[in-house]
């Protein structure tokens, strides 16, 4: 079992106070975050009640840190199996089943043997049963069209999809930074004054 200190990761925010990534959530171990504080690369935004000590100092462990220098986000997400799953919200694009990652695979909508390419526009998330049922055939032949037309997502779209899959452990000090940029529901009776 992990000690309280070992189980004290820090949420890492960019200089604009948004997480570097939502899925996987940008977390650093307590050792990495303490080192970054001493190297003056981050600002401490929030702290745990836990402390670390050495003979010459004592410090509360950071629970949220913000980078001092802004890190530009990638404009184009990498074409990876995981990002395909994330784009498709971990849902089979044929039957609509939502499954754990180990139970998912990907399918070439137009099979490779028929000239289909391995690209954002031709690969979709599929469960094993649907992948086997479709096999090496065209979607029209087996009447299995993807629920969503596959396309290259933006980094922003993947971040938004990732926000729907938080980790099992969310420290209270992280919540404001994970959801502060969510769109708020507007009260229909809210009347805005005109100037």
């Amino acid at each position: 079992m992990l000690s309280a200190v070992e189980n004290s990761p820090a949420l890492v925010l960019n200089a604009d106070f948004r997480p570097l990534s939502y899925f996987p959530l940008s977390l650093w171990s307590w050792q990495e975050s303490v080192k970054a504080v001493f190297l003056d690369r981050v600002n401490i935004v929030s702290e745990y009640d836990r402390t670390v000590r050495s003979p010459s100092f004592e410090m509360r462990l950071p629970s949220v840190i913000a980078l001092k220098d802004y890190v530009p986000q990638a404009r184009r997400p990498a074409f990876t199996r995981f990002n395909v799953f994330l784009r498709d919200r971990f849902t089979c694009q044929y039957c609509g089943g939502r499954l754990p990652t180990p139970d998912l695979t990907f399918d070439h909508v137009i099979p490779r043997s028929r000239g289909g390419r391995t690209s954002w526009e031709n690969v979709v998330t599929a469960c094993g049963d649907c992948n086997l049922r479709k096999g090496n055939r065209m979607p029209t032949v087996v009447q299995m069209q993807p629920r969503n037309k596959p396309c290259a997502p933006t980094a922003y779209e993947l971040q938004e999809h990732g926000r729907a899959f938080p980790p099992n452990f969310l420290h209270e000090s992280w919540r404001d930074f994970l959801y502060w940029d969510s769109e708020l529901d507007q009260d229909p009776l809210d009347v805005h004054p005109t100037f």
Side-chain angles (χ1 to χ4, degrees):
M1 183 172 173
L2 291 176
S3 69
V5 171
E6 290 298 323
N7 195 22
S8 301
L11 174 65
V12 184
L13 307 176
N14 210 336
D16 65 356
F17 283 78
R18 292 178 186 230
L20 286 176
S21 71
Y22 286 96
F23 201 83
L25 192 58
S26 51
L27 300 176
W28 285 356
S29 69
W30 71 269
Q31 296 97 327
E32 291 174 294
S33 58
V34 168
K35 180 179 178 181
V37 168
F38 276 100
L39 294 174
D40 201 31
R41 294 182 181 156
V42 298
N43 290 315
I44 298 174
V45 178
S46 184
E47 299 171 323
Y48 289 108
D49 291 333
R50 304 170 191 127
T51 59
V52 289
R53 295 177 179 85
S54 79
S56 59
F57 86 102
E58 179 175 311
M59 174 184 178
R60 287 178 63 179
L61 290 175
S63 64
V64 179
I65 54 178
L67 300 177
K68 289 191 173 186
D69 295 322
Y70 182 77
V71 175
Q73 299 299 306
R75 292 181 184 223
R76 291 185 177 177
F79 179 60
T80 65
R81 179 184 297 257
F82 183 81
N83 282 346
V84 169
F85 294 165
L86 187 56
R87 176 199 66 188
D88 295 340
R89 299 174 192 252
F90 299 88
T91 302
C92 175
Q93 292 301 291
Y94 297 117
C95 71
R98 195 166 179 187
L99 301 164
T101 307
D103 297 333
L104 294 173
T105 184
F106 68 89
D107 178 65
H108 290 81
V109 178
I110 299 172
R112 290 174 58 194
S113 64
R114 299 179 186 251
R117 299 183 62 174
T118 304
S119 67
W120 283 114
E121 294 76 17
N122 191 47
V123 171
V124 296
T125 302
C127 68
D129 291 342
C130 287
N131 202 343
L132 284 173
R133 196 168 93 233
K134 180 176 170 286
N136 196 25
R137 296 175 288 177
M138 296 294 284
T140 52
V141 172
V142 289
Q143 297 181 357
M144 292 178 69
Q145 293 294 331
R147 293 172 176 253
N148 298 296
K149 184 178 179 183
C151 62
T154 65
Y156 177 78
E157 287 169 331
L158 288 186
Q159 291 284 30
E160 287 302 301
H161 290 190
R163 291 170 59 152
F165 300 97
N168 294 332
F169 171 75
L170 288 178
H171 189 264
E172 192 62 36
S173 64
W174 302 356
R175 295 183 190 273
D176 288 338
F177 299 100
L178 294 177
Y179 304 110
W180 72 273
D181 58 347
S182 298
E183 187 171 329
L184 299 174
D185 292 331
Q186 186 174 354
D187 185 339
L189 300 176
D190 187 18
V191 178
H192 298 285
T194 54
F195 296 99

